[in-house]
Amino acid sequence: MGIVTLKKDVAAVRESCRIVRKVLTELAQFIQPGVTTAEINALGRSIIRSEGAVPSFLNYNGYPAAICISINREVVHGIPSADRVLKDGDIVGIDVGAYKNGYHGDAADTVMVGSVSPETRRLVEVTYEARNLGIAAAVQGNHVGDIGYAVQSYVELNGFSVVHQLVGHGIGKKLHERPQVPNYGKAGKGMKLSNGLLLAIEPMVNAGASKIRILQDGWTVVTDDGSLSAHAENTIMINGNSPEILTA
Ligand code: MF3
Ligand code: CO
């Protein structure tokens, strides 16, 4: 379980998370129609390295790149490629992990490319708001189920669905630690949250049905019905009534 109490460990995880946010910010500025996902990956990798960090995802269970880049119906874990060219109206999930001084940071955003349709924009905005509501529920004394409940109820109220087969997670010395943080759940259920616990809260929201499948490449997760999907993730630390958003 990723629980940090020592000052030096808190400083280390803050630093990894600062780098993750820097990468996301610079990649969002770089993204425009005509850019390939291989170019996005190369830029992200070089920023991570220039900050003295290591990309958390590269070679993780054999994942072949530094950044996960997932377009439109792709939910998460898309593999960057020189053949994938972004076009006007796409939405692109960029998921970044950085490891430095013994700690990982992990965050993702969904970027709108050029001008997107109103319904696509609504999907992205609901996903960010779901992340915010999940984080707001991550207070000391609450339970993991309160986070999932907050995410799921908001998403479904808006007519979208949450992915069940993939979950958020504890994080720290390892990229994935206990507890699992589902984007669904019952208020008051699951592990109790205590100060210093590090969590990656990451709603994956589908415009259509919640079912997903994995492509032949063994990684890319797509919606089964081909509908659009958006993803937003932050690493946070439980801190009394106001969670610290480390990747803000
Ligand atoms: N943010 C994703 C996660 O927490 C990224 C993992 S991709 C992998 O699971 F390549 F590292 F597996
Ligand atoms: Co994650």
Side-chain angles (χ1 to χ4, degrees):
M1 199 132 57
I3 294 188
V4 282
T5 46
L6 296 178
K7 254 191 172 143
K8 78 167 190 11
D9 293 325
V10 175
V13 71
R14 280 185 183 138
E15 168 68 0
S16 297
C17 288
R18 177 193 68 77
I19 295 166
V20 167
R21 179 49 59 190
K22 180 181 183 192
V23 172
L24 283 169
T25 301
E26 296 199 12
L27 294 184
Q29 286 165 0
F30 177 70
I31 285 171
Q32 57 167 304
V35 161
T36 70
T37 59
E39 291 167 333
I40 298 167
N41 178 66
L43 176 58
R45 187 187 53 214
S46 82
I47 300 167
I48 292 169
R49 293 245 162 85
S50 74
E51 291 284 344
V54 171
S56 300
F57 305 159
L58 183 62
N59 300 321
Y60 183 86
N61 291 335
Y63 183 75
I67 316 288
C68 299
I69 307 175
S70 311
I71 305 170
N72 295 339
R73 68 169 184 145
E74 297 170 357
V75 178
V76 287
H77 302 170
I79 299 173
S81 160
D83 300 332
R84 297 299 299 281
V85 185
L86 296 181
K87 59 181 197 309
D88 189 65
D90 284 345
I91 53 173
V92 57
I94 45 177
D95 193 343
V96 177
Y99 179 78
K100 184 175 174 179
N101 298 328
Y103 281 91
H104 292 276
D106 184 9
D109 281 323
T110 295
V111 177
M112 295 180 273
V113 183
S115 58
V116 305
S117 74
E119 186 61 2
T120 302
R121 174 179 294 273
R122 194 172 73 86
L123 174 70
V124 173
E125 286 173 352
V126 165
T127 304
Y128 281 111
E129 182 61 13
R131 179 176 70 179
N132 291 343
L133 293 169
I135 292 169
V139 300
Q140 184 189 28
N142 261 3
H143 296 253
V144 169
D146 291 302
I147 299 171
Y149 176 77
V151 169
Q152 179 181 26
S153 53
Y154 181 75
V155 166
E156 293 182 354
L157 186 69
N158 280 280
F160 300 134
S161 67
V162 293
V163 172
H164 287 241
Q165 288 134 288
L166 296 164
V167 296
H169 49 96
I171 182 169
K173 291 183 189 299
K174 291 192 289 181
L175 177 61
H176 293 140
E177 300 198 3
R178 289 190 309 152
Q180 294 197 345
V181 184
N183 294 303
Y184 56 88
K186 290 196 168 70
K189 298 289 182 188
M191 198 190 86
K192 200 169 179 176
L193 306 174
S194 53
N195 281 342
L197 178 65
L198 301 167
L199 297 178
I201 295 178
E202 51 176 320
M204 289 152 264
V205 179
N206 296 351
S210 133
K211 194 177 174 200
I212 55 164
R213 58 195 169 84
I214 299 176
L215 296 185
Q216 293 289 342
D217 64 17
W219 279 102
T220 310
V221 177
V222 298
T223 58
D224 190 59
D225 63 7
S227 66
L228 292 178
S229 186
H231 178 214
E233 174 177 26
N234 272 325
T235 295
I236 65 117
M237 181 170 65
I238 305 298
N239 175 45
N241 278 324
S242 56
E244 180 174 339
I245 304 171
L246 296 159
T247 50

